[in-house]
Amino acid sequence: MKKIVLTVVAVLGFTFANAQEQIAKGKWLIEANTGFGSLGNGSTSFGLWDEDGITAWNVGAEGGYFVMDKLAVKAGLGYGDTGADLANTIFSYKVGAKYYLLNQFPLEVSYTGASIKDADENPSYVGFQGGYAWFVGKNISVEPGVRYNVTLNDDFGSGKNAFQFNIGFALHF
């Protein structure tokens, strides 16, 4: 039993030390996220949705720079298709900040905007996200999390506040 406890403590200590190195000032971050739970009207995540026989998709990525230990300033881009009859394409952008609480709990605040082809109005959101960072290698982390997007324009046809479950994959340099 003593060996099991010591092994668990050693593994957690190694993960903690590895995380400190990867989220230090001057490091870079590249992320790809999956977004579940919200038919996107602007997203920088990878997603494929089918709702009422209409299929929509999105691709995107985000990058960041650690301006101080544990705090990264981020930007992201996304592109997708709503699947509607008019084949509306969506270009999305995101800016924000991500802070790693206790080196393993990423908390993010961001602004996401979108430009939808042939739309009279475009959606925008402020998002809040929290999760867990599992550093599976020296430069790789898997980051499951929950995100809440607050719409900034209630008049947008399908713009609603929305919860999302995300699984992020990050490369740290």
Side-chain angles (χ1 to χ4, degrees):
M1 181 66 172
K2 209 184 247 186
K3 287 182 181 181
I4 293 172
V5 170
L6 290 175
T7 301
V8 169
V9 169
V11 168
L12 290 176
F14 174 75
T15 300
F16 183 78
N18 191 33
Q20 284 181 314
E21 179 184 325
Q22 299 309 320
I23 58 176
K25 180 179 178 178
K27 296 287 187 170
W28 290 91
L29 170 72
I30 298 173
E31 289 183 315
N33 292 294
T34 60
F36 304 103
S38 172
L39 178 61
N41 281 325
S43 174
T44 58
S45 65
F46 285 84
L48 180 63
W49 302 271
D50 184 50
E51 189 172 293
D52 298 329
I54 297 174
T55 301
W57 58 269
N58 200 82
V59 295
E62 300 174 21
Y65 179 75
F66 285 89
V67 294
M68 61 184 268
D69 288 353
K70 303 180 189 179
L71 179 64
V73 176
K74 294 177 46 181
L77 296 173
Y79 182 79
D81 188 319
T82 64
D85 292 337
L86 301 175
N88 289 337
T89 57
I90 303 172
F91 173 74
S92 306
Y93 55 91
K94 180 192 232 181
V95 293
K98 185 177 206 175
Y99 181 77
Y100 285 81
L101 181 66
L102 301 175
N103 296 335
Q104 293 187 319
F105 299 97
L107 304 172
E108 181 177 316
V109 174
S110 59
Y111 170 82
T112 304
S115 175
I116 301 176
K117 181 181 176 185
D118 299 329
D120 294 333
E121 185 177 357
N122 292 304
S124 59
Y125 305 90
V126 172
F128 303 93
Q129 183 170 322
Y132 179 77
W134 177 34
F135 287 85
V136 296
K138 181 176 169 125
N139 297 326
I140 301 169
S141 66
V142 176
E143 300 184 5
V146 175
R147 180 175 185 81
Y148 185 68
N149 290 315
V150 179
T151 184
L152 297 178
N153 46 347
D154 291 327
D155 295 336
F156 187 77
S158 60
K160 301 177 201 162
N161 298 346
F163 272 106
Q164 283 182 286
F165 173 70
N166 296 324
I167 300 177
F169 303 93
L171 299 175
H172 301 262
F173 300 100

